[in-house]
Structures are given as C-alpha cells and as structure tokens.
Short mmCIF file of all heavy atoms in Angstrom, two decimals:
data_model
loop_
_atom_site.label_atom_id
_atom_site.label_comp_id
_atom_site.label_asym_id
_atom_site.label_seq_id
_atom_site.Cartn_x
_atom_site.Cartn_y
_atom_site.Cartn_z
N GLN M 1170 131.51 84.15 112.76
CA GLN M 1170 131.86 85.52 112.38
C GLN M 1170 130.94 86.52 113.06
O GLN M 1170 131.38 87.56 113.59
CB GLN M 1170 131.79 85.69 110.86
CG GLN M 1170 131.96 87.11 110.36
CD GLN M 1170 133.32 87.70 110.68
OE1 GLN M 1170 134.27 86.97 110.96
NE2 GLN M 1170 133.42 89.02 110.65
N GLU M 1171 129.62 86.22 113.09
CA GLU M 1171 128.67 87.11 113.75
C GLU M 1171 128.96 87.21 115.25
O GLU M 1171 128.88 88.29 115.85
CB GLU M 1171 127.24 86.61 113.54
CG GLU M 1171 126.75 86.69 112.10
CD GLU M 1171 126.56 88.13 111.64
OE1 GLU M 1171 126.40 89.02 112.50
OE2 GLU M 1171 126.57 88.38 110.43
N LEU M 1172 129.31 86.09 115.87
CA LEU M 1172 129.61 86.10 117.30
C LEU M 1172 130.90 86.86 117.60
O LEU M 1172 131.02 87.52 118.63
CB LEU M 1172 129.72 84.66 117.82
CG LEU M 1172 128.42 83.85 117.80
CD1 LEU M 1172 128.67 82.43 118.28
CD2 LEU M 1172 127.34 84.51 118.65
N ASN M 1173 131.86 86.77 116.69
CA ASN M 1173 133.11 87.53 116.86
C ASN M 1173 132.85 89.03 116.80
O ASN M 1173 133.40 89.81 117.58
CB ASN M 1173 134.13 87.14 115.79
CG ASN M 1173 134.74 85.78 116.05
OD1 ASN M 1173 134.74 85.30 117.18
ND2 ASN M 1173 135.26 85.15 115.01
N VAL M 1174 131.98 89.43 115.86
CA VAL M 1174 131.63 90.85 115.74
C VAL M 1174 130.93 91.33 117.00
O VAL M 1174 131.22 92.41 117.54
CB VAL M 1174 130.74 91.08 114.51
CG1 VAL M 1174 130.20 92.51 114.49
CG2 VAL M 1174 131.51 90.80 113.23
N LEU M 1175 129.99 90.52 117.51
CA LEU M 1175 129.28 90.87 118.73
C LEU M 1175 130.24 90.96 119.92
O LEU M 1175 130.15 91.88 120.74
CB LEU M 1175 128.20 89.83 119.02
CG LEU M 1175 127.46 89.96 120.35
CD1 LEU M 1175 126.73 91.30 120.44
CD2 LEU M 1175 126.47 88.81 120.54
N ASN M 1176 131.18 90.03 119.99
CA ASN M 1176 132.14 90.01 121.10
C ASN M 1176 132.98 91.28 121.12
O ASN M 1176 133.24 91.86 122.18
CB ASN M 1176 133.04 88.78 120.97
CG ASN M 1176 133.99 88.63 122.15
OD1 ASN M 1176 133.61 88.87 123.29
ND2 ASN M 1176 135.22 88.24 121.87
N LYS M 1177 133.38 91.77 119.95
CA LYS M 1177 134.17 93.00 119.88
C LYS M 1177 133.34 94.21 120.28
O LYS M 1177 133.85 95.15 120.88
CB LYS M 1177 134.72 93.19 118.46
CG LYS M 1177 135.80 92.18 118.09
CD LYS M 1177 136.32 92.44 116.68
CE LYS M 1177 137.41 91.45 116.32
NZ LYS M 1177 137.92 91.67 114.94
N LYS M 1178 132.04 94.19 119.96
CA LYS M 1178 131.19 95.31 120.33
C LYS M 1178 131.00 95.42 121.84
O LYS M 1178 130.73 96.49 122.37
CB LYS M 1178 129.81 95.17 119.66
CG LYS M 1178 129.82 95.41 118.16
CD LYS M 1178 128.43 95.28 117.59
CE LYS M 1178 128.41 95.55 116.09
NZ LYS M 1178 127.05 95.42 115.53
N LEU M 1179 131.12 94.28 122.54
CA LEU M 1179 130.93 94.28 123.99
C LEU M 1179 132.19 94.66 124.74
O LEU M 1179 132.17 94.73 125.97
CB LEU M 1179 130.46 92.90 124.46
CG LEU M 1179 129.12 92.41 123.90
CD1 LEU M 1179 128.80 91.03 124.43
CD2 LEU M 1179 128.01 93.39 124.24
N GLN M 1180 133.29 94.86 124.03
CA GLN M 1180 134.57 95.16 124.67
C GLN M 1180 135.03 96.55 124.30
O GLN M 1180 134.50 97.18 123.40
CB GLN M 1180 135.63 94.13 124.26
CG GLN M 1180 135.27 92.70 124.61
CD GLN M 1180 136.38 91.74 124.27
OE1 GLN M 1180 137.55 92.05 124.44
NE2 GLN M 1180 136.03 90.56 123.80
N GLY M 1181 136.02 97.02 125.01
CA GLY M 1181 136.59 98.32 124.72
C GLY M 1181 136.55 99.26 125.91
O GLY M 1181 135.78 99.07 126.84
N GLN M 1182 137.39 100.27 125.85
CA GLN M 1182 137.50 101.23 126.94
C GLN M 1182 136.27 102.13 126.96
O GLN M 1182 135.77 102.58 125.94
CB GLN M 1182 138.76 102.09 126.74
CG GLN M 1182 139.09 102.97 127.92
CD GLN M 1182 139.70 102.19 129.06
OE1 GLN M 1182 140.15 101.07 128.86
NE2 GLN M 1182 139.73 102.78 130.23
N GLY M 1183 135.75 102.41 128.15
CA GLY M 1183 134.65 103.35 128.31
C GLY M 1183 133.30 102.84 127.83
O GLY M 1183 132.43 103.62 127.48
N GLN M 1184 133.11 101.54 127.79
CA GLN M 1184 131.83 100.98 127.37
C GLN M 1184 130.76 101.25 128.42
O GLN M 1184 131.00 101.15 129.61
CB GLN M 1184 131.96 99.46 127.17
CG GLN M 1184 132.46 99.10 125.79
CD GLN M 1184 131.34 99.05 124.76
OE1 GLN M 1184 130.28 99.64 124.95
NE2 GLN M 1184 131.58 98.36 123.67
N LEU M 1185 129.56 101.58 127.96
CA LEU M 1185 128.41 101.75 128.84
C LEU M 1185 127.52 100.53 128.73
O LEU M 1185 127.40 99.93 127.66
CB LEU M 1185 127.63 103.01 128.48
CG LEU M 1185 128.38 104.34 128.68
CD1 LEU M 1185 127.53 105.50 128.18
CD2 LEU M 1185 128.74 104.54 130.14
N VAL M 1186 126.88 100.16 129.82
CA VAL M 1186 126.07 98.95 129.84
C VAL M 1186 124.88 99.08 128.91
O VAL M 1186 124.39 98.08 128.36
CB VAL M 1186 125.61 98.64 131.29
CG1 VAL M 1186 124.62 99.66 131.78
CG2 VAL M 1186 125.04 97.23 131.39
N SER M 1187 124.39 100.29 128.67
CA SER M 1187 123.26 100.47 127.75
C SER M 1187 123.65 100.10 126.32
O SER M 1187 122.86 99.51 125.58
CB SER M 1187 122.76 101.92 127.80
OG SER M 1187 123.82 102.83 127.53
N ALA M 1188 124.90 100.41 125.92
CA ALA M 1188 125.37 100.04 124.59
C ALA M 1188 125.51 98.53 124.47
O ALA M 1188 125.20 97.94 123.43
CB ALA M 1188 126.70 100.73 124.29
N ALA M 1189 125.99 97.89 125.54
CA ALA M 1189 126.11 96.44 125.54
C ALA M 1189 124.74 95.80 125.40
O ALA M 1189 124.56 94.80 124.69
CB ALA M 1189 126.79 95.96 126.82
N TYR M 1190 123.74 96.35 126.08
CA TYR M 1190 122.39 95.81 126.00
C TYR M 1190 121.84 95.95 124.58
O TYR M 1190 121.21 95.03 124.05
CB TYR M 1190 121.47 96.54 126.98
CG TYR M 1190 120.03 96.11 126.88
CD1 TYR M 1190 119.60 94.92 127.46
CD2 TYR M 1190 119.10 96.89 126.20
CE1 TYR M 1190 118.28 94.52 127.35
CE2 TYR M 1190 117.78 96.49 126.09
CZ TYR M 1190 117.37 95.31 126.68
OH TYR M 1190 116.07 94.92 126.56
N ASP M 1191 122.08 97.09 123.93
CA ASP M 1191 121.60 97.29 122.56
C ASP M 1191 122.22 96.29 121.61
O ASP M 1191 121.55 95.74 120.72
CB ASP M 1191 121.91 98.72 122.09
CG ASP M 1191 121.09 99.76 122.84
OD1 ASP M 1191 120.04 99.38 123.40
OD2 ASP M 1191 121.51 100.93 122.86
N ASN M 1192 123.52 96.03 121.77
CA ASN M 1192 124.20 95.08 120.89
C ASN M 1192 123.68 93.66 121.09
O ASN M 1192 123.54 92.89 120.13
CB ASN M 1192 125.70 95.11 121.14
CG ASN M 1192 126.34 96.39 120.63
OD1 ASN M 1192 125.94 96.90 119.58
ND2 ASN M 1192 127.31 96.91 121.35
N LEU M 1193 123.38 93.29 122.33
CA LEU M 1193 122.85 91.95 122.60
C LEU M 1193 121.42 91.81 122.12
O LEU M 1193 120.95 90.70 121.84
CB LEU M 1193 122.92 91.66 124.10
CG LEU M 1193 124.31 91.38 124.66
CD1 LEU M 1193 124.28 91.30 126.17
CD2 LEU M 1193 124.89 90.11 124.08
#
C-alpha cells in the first residue's frame, strides 16, 4: 500500500523532478 501511494506521487502531468525527489 505504501509503495502504491509512492508510485502515484511520482506520476502525473506536469511533475517536477524536485517533487519526485522529495517523495522518494
């Protein structure tokens, strides 16, 4: 469940790499 939530945070239109880094 935690990995699924993380996976959704890394996807989507207009994502910035800084946001992906914060989520990871």
Side-chain angles (χ1 to χ4, degrees):
Q1170 172 64 19
E1171 293 291 338
L1172 293 178
N1173 286 338
V1174 172
L1175 174 60
N1176 185 39
K1177 290 181 179 179
K1178 288 182 178 180
L1179 298 179
Q1180 301 184 38
Q1182 189 76 16
Q1184 275 276 21
L1185 296 175
V1186 69
S1187 55
Y1190 175 78
D1191 291 339
N1192 289 323
L1193 287 172

